[in-house]
Amino acid sequence: MSALPPLNALRGFEAVGRLGSITLAAAELNVTPAAISRQIRLLEEHLGLRLFARQHRRIVLTPVGAGYHADIARGFGALQRATSALDERSRRRQFVIKAPHSVAMRWLLPRLSGLHRQYPDIDVKLHTSVDPPDFELEDVDAGICMGDGRWRGLDSHKLMLNELLPVCIPGKRADLRRPADLKREVLLHTLARPHYWEIWLRAVGLTEIDMSRGLRYESSALAYEAALEGYGVAIAQKALVQKELDEGRLIAPFDLSVDLGPETYYFVLPPAGYRQPSPELTQFRAWAASCALPAEGS
């Protein structure tokens, strides 16, 4: 059996035959035209055949070269397809989740390590946005949304109780013995949830506090950071500050919380059958269900 020619010589031959140009083949393979010319000469010497005819400013395949090129091109094509198929099987696919910034930072990220331990092949990419995911228009696999969980045609899982309560640093405890003491405090508001202070104050019977005063922040996460710095008292979603409450960095000065019922955060997934099923989506559905609160009445 004849020894095979050098692979680089075959690659150069295939590129020149396909492109009809030594210069273009050199650019594609990131080598010099002189290197391509040497490869062609080496291949012709190895085979003892002329594969190209040099014409004025052109290089064309000889009849025997054209037949050989067709066979070589099929072989390189098969190699490319086999390599692409292997790469597709081995590539780690990113699983894209869209979530509001505050819940992404304070609820989702601490739990993603558990997802990775359970399903180490899922690579999560996180987009933060207050807009709900549009599974038809966006390259998004799952989302976290605020609402009542009733999104037509979508699969939703309730993630947390939405309990509102004031929080502040421990150093303010002595000045906050009863809710009416909030009249003397700086209230920290969240622009994304501007009605939360009003909901809590009405629930505890305080309607005379001036809601126009205080400091306002774009997101809940910023308001919580301001509370941690001692700038005032924030109205918090308890689940999003539970870590700071457990650590004692924040306190709830009043044993009074308001549960907003179904109005909370949910994992939202496209309906079954909407897309071609993937192992990642199937695994994420199972993980999301394990994180969710038990269904009411169960």
Side-chain angles (χ1 to χ4, degrees), residues 85-133:
L86 180 62
D87 183 57
E88 185 65 28
R89 290 194 299 270
S90 62
R91 188 186 302 125
R92 294 169 65 90
R93 179 181 175 275
Q94 284 190 330
F95 191 89
V96 182
I97 305 174
K98 186 176 182 181
H101 176 78
S102 297
V103 73
M105 296 297 295
R106 292 184 157 269
W107 189 92
L108 181 58
L109 280 179
R111 288 164 173 78
L112 285 181
S113 59
L115 172 67
H116 183 70
R117 285 194 300 271
Q118 191 170 353
Y119 302 111
D121 292 332
I122 298 181
D123 284 342
V124 172
K125 182 177 182 179
L126 184 59
H127 287 317
T128 58
S129 172
V130 295
D131 297 324

Side-chain angles (χ1 to χ4, degrees), residues 20-268:
S21 166
I22 288 177
T23 301
L24 293 177
E28 179 179 285
L29 298 177
N30 199 29
V31 296
T32 64
I36 293 292
S37 296
R38 286 195 298 273
Q39 290 169 358
I40 297 302
R41 185 169 61 253
L42 176 65
L43 182 60
E44 289 181 327
E45 291 174 355
H46 180 91
L47 297 174
L49 298 167
R50 285 193 64 197
L51 302 175
F52 290 98
R54 279 73 172 176
Q55 299 179 356
H56 180 62
R57 296 184 179 179
R58 294 182 60 205
I59 182 168
V60 297
L61 288 162
T62 63
V64 68
Y68 189 52
H69 184 272
D71 290 337
I72 293 298
R74 283 194 294 271
F76 273 104
L79 285 171
Q80 182 62 50
R81 288 190 297 275
T83 303
S84 296
L86 180 62
D87 183 57
E88 185 65 28
R89 290 194 299 270
S90 62
R91 188 186 302 125
R92 294 169 65 90
R93 179 181 175 275
Q94 284 190 330
F95 191 89
V96 182
I97 305 174
K98 186 176 182 181
H101 176 78
S102 297
V103 73
M105 296 297 295
R106 292 184 157 269
W107 189 92
L108 181 58
L109 280 179
R111 288 164 173 78
L112 285 181
S113 59
L115 172 67
H116 183 70
R117 285 194 300 271
Q118 191 170 353
Y119 302 111
D121 292 332
I122 298 181
D123 284 342
V124 172
K125 182 177 182 179
L126 184 59
H127 287 317
T128 58
S129 172
V130 295
D131 297 324
D134 188 329
F135 294 112
E136 292 187 358
L137 300 179
E138 298 178 283
D139 184 18
V140 176
D141 296 289
I144 295 180
C145 294
M146 168 67 79
D148 62 3
R150 297 177 181 177
W151 291 282
R152 186 175 209 166
L154 297 182
D155 182 15
S156 63
H157 302 271
K158 187 176 183 178
L159 298 183
M160 64 186 75
L161 297 176
N162 196 7
E163 298 175 288
L164 304 183
L165 75 170
V167 296
C168 61
I169 57 173
K172 292 184 177 293
R173 186 191 298 272
D175 298 325
L176 294 170
R177 299 183 180 278
R178 55 196 180 93
D181 293 335
L182 289 169
K183 296 177 184 179
R184 298 188 297 272
E185 286 292 335
V186 176
L187 302 184
L188 306 178
H189 303 266
T190 300
L191 294 177
R193 306 275 181 257
H195 56 295
Y196 275 6
W197 260 120
E198 183 179 359
I199 290 173
W200 188 86
L201 289 170
R202 284 186 176 179
V204 300
L206 282 175
T207 57
E208 68 275 16
I209 289 183
D210 182 4
M211 294 295 298
S212 66
R213 64 182 179 82
L215 302 176
R216 285 165 171 77
Y217 297 88
E218 185 176 0
S219 69
S220 299
L222 291 175
Y224 302 157
E225 289 300 317
L228 284 164
E229 292 295 327
Y231 296 162
V233 183
I235 185 68
Q237 294 164 283
K238 183 179 179 181
L240 301 187
V241 294
Q242 190 63 61
K243 180 174 182 289
E244 287 79 6
L245 291 173
D246 291 342
E247 293 173 349
R249 297 168 61 209
L250 288 176
I251 62 166
F254 318 115
D255 188 21
L256 297 166
S257 64
V258 176
D259 188 347
L260 297 186
E263 187 72 17
T264 187
Y265 291 105
Y266 295 79
F267 264 132
V268 178

